[in-house]
Amino acid sequence: MEQKQGTIYNFLREKSFVLLLDDLWDRVDLDTVGVPNPMELHTCKRKVVLTTRSKEVCRKMEVMKRIKVDILDWEDAWSLFIEKVTKETIDSDPLIKKHAMDVVKELGGLPLALITTGRAMRDKTDHYDWEEAIMQLKQARLDDVESSSGNKSVFHTFKFSYDNLKNDTLRQCFLHCSLWPEDFSIRKDRLIELWMGSGLIDKPEIQAAYTIGYAYINDLISVCLLETDNDYAVKMHDVIRDMALWIANNRGVDTNKWINVSAGTHNELREIDVFDNTEKLFVMNNYTGIVSFSIKSSSTKLTTLLINHNSVNDTKLLRLELFSELTMLDLSYSNLRAFPVEICKLVHLQFLNLSGNYHATMNVPEELVALINLRYFLLRETDCTFPESVLSKLKSLRMLDLIKYYMEDDFEMFPMLEEDLKGLPQFQALGITISIHGMPEFGKLSQISVPVRWLVVSKYKESSLSISSCFLGNPRLQRYLFTFGIRDSDDVRCVNFESTSENQSICHLERLQSLSFSWMKNMKEVIWRNLNPKDVFPRLQFLEFASCHQLQSISWVVNLPRTRELTIIDCIHMKQLVCVDELNDNGINTNQHSFPLLKTLYLSSNGDLEIISDPMITFPALEFLDVFKCAKLKKLPFEHSNTQRKLKLIRGSEEWWNNIEMEDVSQRSLLQPFFKKWK
């Protein structure tokens, strides 16, 4: 080895060279191989170019410039496919050309899939071969399409990425992503909750579970098995999803082990088969079809049943009592009319989601105490009542989410919940919306004794809402509160963040990542007294103001060091978002004139908005600027000399874009490629 190293080094040391390293899965030590360091000062020109599907490899190799190879657009995908199939094959029959176009659509612009499938279909001039290929693609059987070519299939190629994931847990997490439909934007928090409910992430502390979940998502993104959709969501490419289902179904042998059903027709009674080997079943987007099950065996192995965005008027059609092995049940957004009592017979259940059933009042029965293994109970956006002491008997319960952004809850319900939950040994997270009419009730929140992760305060009736050090300094809120919102409080004129303590260091919500002010039509300002926003919200990432009609500006947000997404909707009298002079007027000392991490700025229906910020305010990380119904906004938040290198999209109406005042013609030509009009 040393002899080869010396030979390579002696050959290259006085030469200019470009070294190509293809398909790396780990770091290559160039010194060990004998390649002179390309970073050393030298009269020769030296470059190392590598390809990899892993961002971790880029980091280990200390890559100076990364170029992401995106999926191909239609024109390039079609050209590549024709190159591999041959033009003679495509032109041999008009039907074949039509089928070939359908194949390219199914492959979604993925170069490797286009190449391998194109090679497999080369010289096939019988249209029946193409019809079978399309059928197999739609049934997630790409491996069958390519087997006749004698080459390694694209599934086997991508499976190498899967096999190289760091452990079996991460591999299972990846496979569970395939339960969502094609082209679906999967919310990260919902994906993590699926992993938690399936037992793949089993941490007694909820925050630790979410942290691990986000790390797993990043791991899958880094090896290109998931794609980033936005800060909230990810997507799985159709071909990658097909591969995941192929693996989950024992490489296509057990075809009914994991089943995904979606998109029923109008008023269709959708009868879905459940087989003796079916373990996981996801039924989604069957909005108007009524779901029922046909059980093909006297016993089932079904452990996971997800029925989202469906019409399930009568849960008796589901025959839930027959699925005795269920550990995870999700009936969210499925038009339930009442709590399905038969659920209480599913004694192995660990995860239950009945969220989004707006038309029901979920009167939770006393029989719920039979669910001794229940860990996660979600009733978001759903009216519900609990018999006294029922929750206190669910000793395994870790999370109860009753959050409502569009519905009401009374403060009177909270003391009973608090009493039942505080005795549970494993309880870690409560989500709740509370109608609070004045400061005496709000003050009681400062003494909260259970871990609240999601909190919305609504219907506040006084003109001034003071969020003081008593609230901000509550150790449970500091440790657990992740989302906080104030809404439906038209009487509020101002929100005051103030310190009533000499020790200002106690006033911080260190876990809070999302803050919203919604439907507060008369709120004019947010005032800071003896506090700095960056100290109170050190990790805040998502900030929203919606229907705050009298709000004039939000200059204080420039102090938030980690804000990634800022949303301003229907703040009709706001003329300027950020004004440096107002920071001093508000008593906030800052030298920061930048949003260092802000990626997304969403502006909608802000009729008086003219300016986003003073010229000195910079947006170095801005990627997405969405503008809708803001006709008076004539200037973009960056100068010609500071055109954003990270900018990916400016979206708005064509009329608005044409009226934007640019520094000169060159600025418009530089920004034009990023503009896309609203559809």
Side-chain angles (χ1 to χ4, degrees):
M1 181 66 184
E2 289 182 4
Q3 183 179 356
K4 290 181 179 180
Q5 177 191 23
T7 301
I8 294 172
Y9 181 80
N10 290 331
F11 179 76
L12 291 175
R13 64 179 178 176
E14 299 299 332
K15 289 183 172 66
S16 296
F17 64 83
V18 175
L19 176 64
L20 303 179
L21 302 174
D22 188 34
D23 201 20
L24 291 193
W25 282 94
D26 205 345
R27 179 177 180 272
V28 173
D29 188 331
L30 298 179
D31 289 336
T32 301
V33 177
V35 177
N37 189 339
M39 301 303 295
E40 289 179 356
L41 293 175
H42 201 278
T43 55
C44 299
K45 295 180 180 180
R46 296 167 175 174
K47 294 285 184 184
V48 175
V49 180
L50 62 90
T51 68
T52 180
R53 278 176 261 165
S54 171
K55 292 181 181 178
E56 181 67 11
V57 170
C58 291
R59 185 186 66 79
K60 289 180 178 179
M61 291 294 294
E62 301 178 28
V63 168
M64 302 298 293
K65 184 176 182 179
R66 302 183 188 184
I67 301 173
K68 182 182 178 183
V69 180
D70 287 319
I71 60 173
L72 303 179
D73 60 24
W74 166 256
E75 186 175 335
D76 289 338
W78 178 241
S79 296
L80 177 61
F81 191 70
I82 290 176
E83 179 186 325
K84 300 304 172 185
V85 174
T86 73
K87 191 173 186 299
E88 289 76 15
T89 301
I90 296 294
D91 292 341
S92 65
D93 187 330
L95 268 180
I96 287 180
K97 183 173 183 179
K98 178 182 179 298
H99 293 330
M101 294 174 77
D102 290 338
V103 167
V104 172
K105 289 175 184 175
E106 285 291 326
L107 297 175
L110 202 63
L112 185 57
L114 290 161
I115 291 168
T116 54
T117 306
R119 286 172 179 165
M121 301 305 293
R122 188 183 181 96
D123 298 329
K124 292 196 174 182
T125 55
D126 190 326
H127 70 87
Y128 289 113
D129 290 334
W130 287 86
E131 288 175 5
E132 183 184 9
I134 292 168
M135 181 177 63
Q136 291 171 345
L137 284 171
K138 290 182 180 295
Q139 295 174 355
R141 291 164 57 196
L142 185 59
D143 195 54
D144 292 341
V145 177
E146 297 161 354
S147 59
S148 61
S149 68
N151 295 322
K152 185 183 290 186
S153 78
V154 69
F155 276 7
H156 287 91
T157 304
F158 286 129
K159 190 174 180 293
F160 188 74
S161 302
Y162 166 81
D163 289 337
N164 277 272
L165 294 173
K166 61 186 179 183
N167 55 46
D168 286 338
T169 299
L170 187 54
R171 282 187 276 274
Q172 281 296 313
C173 287
F174 163 71
L175 296 182
H176 278 71
C177 299
S178 69
L179 290 171
W180 271 272
E182 289 184 0
D183 299 318
F184 198 82
S185 182
I186 308 170
R187 280 189 52 166
K188 293 178 182 178
D189 54 350
R190 302 296 180 259
L191 178 57
I192 293 169
E193 287 164 7
L194 172 70
W195 293 340
M196 290 161 59
S198 300
L200 297 172
I201 299 177
D202 186 11
K203 292 290 181 182
E205 186 173 332
I206 293 296
Q207 182 56 45
Y210 277 99
T211 298
I212 291 171
Y214 283 112
Y216 283 172
I217 289 172
N218 289 334
D219 287 341
L220 294 173
I221 291 172
S222 73
V223 294
C224 304
L225 292 176
L226 284 181
E227 304 169 13
T228 299
D229 193 27
N230 53 50
D231 279 343
Y232 293 101
V234 292
K235 279 188 173 183
M236 176 177 269
H237 191 281
D238 292 350
V239 173
I240 302 292
R241 176 181 176 273
D242 290 346
M243 181 200 70
L245 286 171
W246 174 74
I247 295 171
N249 286 306
N250 192 17
R251 301 192 182 190
V253 175
D254 296 331
T255 55
N256 298 306
K257 191 176 180 182
W258 288 28
I259 301 175
N260 183 300
V261 181
S262 62
T265 58
H266 183 67
N267 287 333
E268 174 188 5
L269 179 59
R270 192 72 178 267
E271 187 172 83
I272 298 165
D273 293 336
V274 180
F275 299 87
D276 58 353
N277 68 329
T278 304
E279 295 178 1
K280 298 183 187 293
L281 175 58
F282 195 171
V283 185
M284 191 173 192
N285 294 347
N286 200 57
Y287 292 101
T288 55
I290 300 169
V291 176
S292 67
F293 291 126
S294 173
I295 314 299
K296 299 299 183 182
S297 173
S298 57
S299 62
T300 72
K301 297 179 180 179
L302 196 68
T303 59
T304 300
L305 178 58
L306 311 173
I307 304 179
N308 297 168
H309 299 275
N310 289 277
S311 180
V312 186
N313 296 312
D314 185 359
T315 55
K316 292 184 175 62
L317 293 172
L318 300 181
R319 306 172 73 183
L320 293 174
E321 66 278 2
L322 299 180
F323 304 135
S324 57
E325 300 301 312
L326 272 184
T327 59
M328 184 172 190
L329 176 61
D330 187 338
L331 296 173
S332 59
Y333 301 92
S334 286
N335 201 30
L336 298 182
R337 301 293 176 174
F339 188 97
V341 179
E342 55 269 34
I343 287 176
C344 299
K345 297 178 181 178
L346 305 175
V347 295
H348 298 293
L349 209 60
Q350 297 183 24
F351 180 100
L352 176 59
N353 188 357
L354 301 176
S355 301
N357 289 292
Y358 307 107
H359 304 297
T361 297
M362 294 288 179
N363 297 312
V364 178
E366 293 188 2
E367 290 86 345
L368 191 76
V369 298
L371 302 185
I372 57 174
N373 295 299
L374 189 63
R375 296 180 176 185
Y376 311 101
F377 192 10
L378 312 181
L379 285 158
R380 301 167 178 139
E381 304 299 345
T382 303
D383 275 331
C384 56
T385 62
F386 293 91
E388 191 172 348
S389 300
V390 163
L391 291 172
S392 66
K393 296 173 183 176
L394 301 176
K395 300 299 183 183
S396 298
L397 194 65
R398 297 179 181 179
M399 184 167 82
L400 175 66
D401 193 355
L402 310 174
I403 201 76
K404 298 177 181 67
Y405 292 101
Y406 308 102
M407 304 173 72
E408 295 304 317
D409 252 341
D410 292 325
F411 186 72
E412 287 73 19
M413 178 184 175
F414 183 68
M416 184 272 286
L417 281 175
E418 188 176 26
E419 186 64 31
D420 279 0
L421 296 174
K422 68 182 182 182
L424 296 179
Q426 299 186 52
F427 192 74
Q428 288 283 318
L430 173 65
I432 191 165
T433 298
I434 307 177
S435 295
I436 292 179
H437 297 152
M439 277 309 299
E441 291 175 341
F442 189 82
K444 292 180 182 178
L445 290 180
S446 304
Q447 302 158 19
I448 203 163
S449 61
V450 292
V452 176
R453 182 175 174 84
W454 306 275
L455 175 63
V456 174
V457 172
S458 70
K459 301 296 183 184
Y460 193 82
K461 298 297 184 184
E462 297 180 6
S463 62
S464 177
L465 172 57
S466 293
I467 302 177
S468 70
S469 51
C470 295
F471 178 84
L472 299 171
N474 181 294
R476 289 191 178 274
L477 292 175
Q478 289 183 344
R479 181 178 177 185
Y480 295 105
L481 191 61
F482 189 81
T483 298
F484 180 47
I486 306 170
R487 69 166 178 84
D488 286 333
S489 300
D490 287 347
D491 292 321
V492 174
R493 300 291 191 274
C494 67
V495 175
N496 299 301
F497 288 91
E498 57 185 354
S499 174
T500 55
S501 168
E502 293 183 2
N503 183 8
Q504 295 184 22
S505 63
I506 68 169
C507 301
H508 61 278
L509 298 176
E510 61 186 40
R511 301 274 189 178
L512 194 76
Q513 293 203 14
S514 178
L515 176 65
S516 63
F517 301 85
S518 310
W519 300 292
M520 301 175 69
K521 294 181 179 179
N522 293 303
M523 183 179 73
K524 291 186 175 181
E525 56 186 341
V526 176
I527 297 175
W528 294 82
R529 293 194 176 100
N530 301 320
L531 289 174
N532 195 308
K534 68 178 181 180
D535 299 324
V536 178
F537 303 128
R539 297 189 183 183
L540 191 71
Q541 294 190 38
F542 307 102
L543 181 59
E544 179 182 66
F545 298 86
S547 296
C548 300
H549 291 174
Q550 301 301 321
L551 192 61
Q552 300 298 305
S553 73
I554 51 169
S555 299
W556 58 272
V557 303
V558 79
N559 280 265
L560 301 172
R562 295 181 58 81
T563 306
R564 297 171 65 86
E565 184 171 307
L566 178 58
T567 301
I568 316 292
I569 302 173
D570 193 32
C571 295
I572 57 177
H573 293 310
M574 185 181 294
K575 293 186 176 182
Q576 181 171 343
L577 262 63
V578 178
C579 177
V580 174
D581 291 341
E582 285 188 10
L583 293 170
N584 298 325
D585 294 342
N586 211 350
I588 300 173
N589 296 319
T590 182
N591 294 318
Q592 182 168 312
H593 293 153
S594 169
F595 287 90
L597 299 180
L598 187 69
K599 291 174 61 177
T600 302
L601 179 57
Y602 181 77
L603 307 171
S604 176
S605 303
N606 305 303
D608 285 349
L609 186 64
E610 298 175 358
I611 302 172
I612 291 177
S613 65
D614 294 330
M616 66 183 69
I617 303 293
T618 60
F619 297 78
L622 191 65
E623 295 181 6
F624 303 100
L625 174 61
D626 264 330
V627 181
F628 184 69
K629 291 186 178 180
C630 299
K632 293 183 180 180
L633 181 63
K634 299 293 178 64
K635 288 196 173 184
L636 298 178
F638 32 78
E639 301 292 333
H640 175 74
S641 59
N642 190 33
T643 299
Q644 306 302 289
R645 288 189 296 174
K646 294 190 177 181
L647 190 64
K648 295 179 179 177
L649 176 68
I650 302 172
R651 187 162 52 179
S653 70
E654 200 153 14
E655 181 182 3
W656 167 78
W657 178 248
N658 291 334
N659 289 326
I660 288 291
E661 297 173 2
M662 302 284 184
E663 286 184 17
D664 50 42
V665 176
S666 62
Q667 185 186 23
R668 183 174 292 277
S669 63
L670 281 170
L671 295 176
Q672 185 67 45
F674 301 110
F675 175 71
K676 184 177 181 180
K677 67 179 180 180
W678 278 97
K679 293 182 180 179

